[in-house]
Amino acid sequence: LLTLKVNNSKSCRAYIHNGFWFFKLLLLGAMCSGAFFIPDQETFLKVWRYVGAGGSFLFICIQLLLIVQFAHKWNKNWTAGTVRNKLWYASLSLVTLIMYSVAVGGLALMAVFYTQWDDCMDNKILLGVHGGLCVLISLVAISPCVQNRQPHSGLLQSGLISCYVTYLTFSALTSKPEKKVLDEHGKNVTICAPDFGQDLHRDENMVTWLGTL
């Protein structure tokens, strides 16, 4: 709140954001250590769960805004390059095609590994909403009303957002608790989740690697 509407990095309030890292880390360490000495840990954890959910939602929204701005500048710079060389159109089309291929491929793989014909209704709804929203933002990005107000808007932005949201959807599916049912032989089997064997601890490793990339 102290750094709202800071226009340059040399103002007094900007130093609060860019400096004092020793005191910031010291305060963070003190807060993390002090949390262990709170008497009613159960109530604290319940409240902090909602604080974490709200903070993560706000963080994802900010990330999406930054990604849209990055993709907008990316599209604007590459479109400007087409004045000198028409190959920039091919580059822009290729990158957009790759992004949509990743998004569609990710959606297809999640539908194969995280749904079953007669079960996993929650996963089916989530993937259906995810696919529908990706199609919606793609149509909005190229709609005449948006093109009139933002001439540099295009499928590059929506393709990048679709890739990012595909990763978030995959992360959400892997975070769900395992669902076990009895098969015809009376054994517990896991459904609505892929079985990668014992060498890969389910799909947490895949989420970690994709997040790193």
Side-chain angles (χ1 to χ4, degrees), residues 105-117 120 127 173 192-194:
L107 179 61
L109 289 175
M110 287 187 289
V112 171
F113 289 110
Y114 289 93
T115 62
Q116 291 185 357
W117 181 257
C120 313
L127 293 178
L173 289 176
C192 305

Side-chain angles (χ1 to χ4, degrees), residues 10-192:
K10 295 184 178 180
S11 63
C12 295
R13 291 188 298 153
Y15 286 113
I16 300 176
H17 179 74
N18 298 327
F20 304 103
W21 288 107
F22 173 76
F23 298 102
K24 290 177 181 177
L25 293 175
L26 188 64
L27 178 61
L28 179 62
M31 292 173 63
C32 293
S33 301
F36 291 99
F37 299 97
I38 295 176
D40 192 356
Q41 286 286 327
E42 185 176 353
T43 302
F44 169 72
L45 292 176
K46 287 182 179 180
V47 174
W48 198 247
R49 188 178 298 116
Y50 290 104
V51 173
S56 60
F57 175 76
L58 181 62
F59 175 73
I60 290 175
C61 290
I62 294 174
Q63 274 191 323
L64 289 174
L65 290 176
L66 293 176
I67 290 175
V68 170
Q69 290 182 352
F70 166 73
H72 180 77
K73 291 182 179 180
W74 184 4
N75 187 59
K76 183 178 179 180
N77 292 335
W78 282 27
T79 303
T82 58
V83 177
R84 299 183 300 271
N85 192 339
K86 298 301 182 182
L87 288 177
W88 285 106
Y89 275 126
S91 302
L92 193 62
S93 301
L94 178 61
V95 172
T96 303
L97 180 61
I98 291 174
M99 289 182 181
Y100 272 104
S101 298
V102 171
V104 173
L107 179 61
L109 289 175
M110 287 187 289
V112 171
F113 289 110
Y114 289 93
T115 62
Q116 291 185 357
W117 181 257
D118 55 349
D119 211 325
C120 313
M121 185 56 63
D122 293 343
N123 293 357
K124 292 177 182 177
I125 294 175
L126 178 61
L127 293 178
V129 172
H130 162 73
L133 290 178
C134 289
V135 172
L136 178 62
I137 62 173
S138 301
L139 295 176
V140 170
I142 59 175
S143 62
C145 58
V146 173
Q147 289 292 318
N148 291 334
R149 297 179 62 88
Q150 294 288 342
H152 295 288
S153 176
L155 293 176
L156 179 66
Q157 293 94 321
S158 57
L160 186 57
I161 291 295
S162 297
C163 285
Y164 179 66
V165 174
T166 299
Y167 166 73
L168 293 180
T169 304
F170 175 63
S171 179
L173 289 176
T174 58
S175 300
K176 288 186 61 179
E178 293 183 353
K179 184 177 180 181
K180 295 184 179 293
V181 297
L182 294 176
D183 61 3
E184 61 273 10
H185 303 293
K187 296 181 179 180
N188 285 327
V189 293
T190 302
I191 62 173
C192 305

